[in-house]
Amino acid sequence: DANGVPVLVTARLRLRRPSMRDLPESAAFWSSDRCRMMGGPIAPSETEKSLQEACAGVQWLRTTLMQALGLQA
């Protein structure tokens, strides 16, 4: 992407770094029963906070550090 973050593109998928433009769709999904098996539903405000962290790289950093320390992420 424009920030140098790799984007994986296949015939059926485009996997990219999350963006705050994803908030409406993310909030709709995470506040629905469709995400029950993934720990939801959660409030739209929590979705926004998680998305902000993901956009800032906080989740990636947390996961990377925990893996480096041999802990479960």
Side-chain angles (χ1 to χ4, degrees), residues 42-59:
I42 63 173
S45 60
E46 288 299 313
T47 300
E48 183 175 9
K49 179 181 174 188
S50 293
L51 187 56
Q52 287 172 339
E53 289 179 353
C55 291
V58 173
Q59 291 174 336

Side-chain angles (χ1 to χ4, degrees), residues 25-53:
E25 292 84 3
S26 294
F29 173 76
W30 286 106
S31 64
S32 75
D33 284 336
R34 293 179 291 164
C35 68
R36 250 189 0 252
M37 301 300 280
M38 297 185 294
I42 63 173
S45 60
E46 288 299 313
T47 300
E48 183 175 9
K49 179 181 174 188
S50 293
L51 187 56
Q52 287 172 339
E53 289 179 353

